[in-house]
Amino acid sequence: MTETHATGKYPPGRYGRRREHRPRRTWLVVLLAAVAGVAGVLIAVKLFQQYGPQEYEPQVQRFYAISDDGITVDFVVRKDASKEATCRVRARSASGEEVGLAEVDVPKGAEAPVTYRLATSARPVTVEVPACGPRRIR
């Protein structure tokens, strides 16, 4: 028979030897929390840089004059007034297929308005300006 260090609620010898109390490792918990916090901040900064406020912000105002071979779009680009931009304009058919695509130059101005007639390969139902960036020299 082995001797146990049982407390009052466990009968001696019934459950085998009890483990000795070990001190908690609070420094390990604090270290893991600090590492997780730093990783979270780094991820947040990276995502803000990637998806935060954009330097060029296009917005479609309206589209009209829809025909089987084209669509006209009015859009505005909010940007630094001293910069020119190039925007991608895309039209889609009723099935969602891309039927027209063009890169359009935008002049200087803080809110530069643009009217553009986009030629399409089939009848479009919508047009979008998904992205703008610094002006490209072609």
Side-chain angles (χ1 to χ4, degrees), residues 42-54:
L42 292 175
I43 290 170
V45 166
K46 177 67 176 164
L47 289 174
F48 181 77
Q49 289 172 344
Q50 189 172 355
Y51 299 109
Q54 300 298 314

Side-chain angles (χ1 to χ4, degrees), residues 38-107:
V38 168
V41 168
L42 292 175
I43 290 170
V45 166
K46 177 67 176 164
L47 289 174
F48 181 77
Q49 289 172 344
Q50 189 172 355
Y51 299 109
Q54 300 298 314
E55 195 172 345
Y56 300 90
E57 191 176 326
Q59 183 178 17
V60 173
Q61 301 294 310
R62 69 181 183 138
F63 52 90
Y64 54 95
I66 301 170
S67 65
D68 288 339
D69 63 349
I71 189 169
T72 302
V73 60
D74 291 341
F75 65 96
V76 109
V77 180
R78 289 178 185 84
K79 58 181 177 51
D80 186 317
S82 65
K83 294 183 179 179
E84 295 177 326
T86 298
C87 293
R88 181 170 289 200
V89 178
R90 177 170 49 202
R92 295 190 181 271
S93 67
S95 68
E97 178 185 4
E98 183 179 286
V99 293
L101 179 66
E103 289 191 350
V104 180
D105 291 331
V106 179

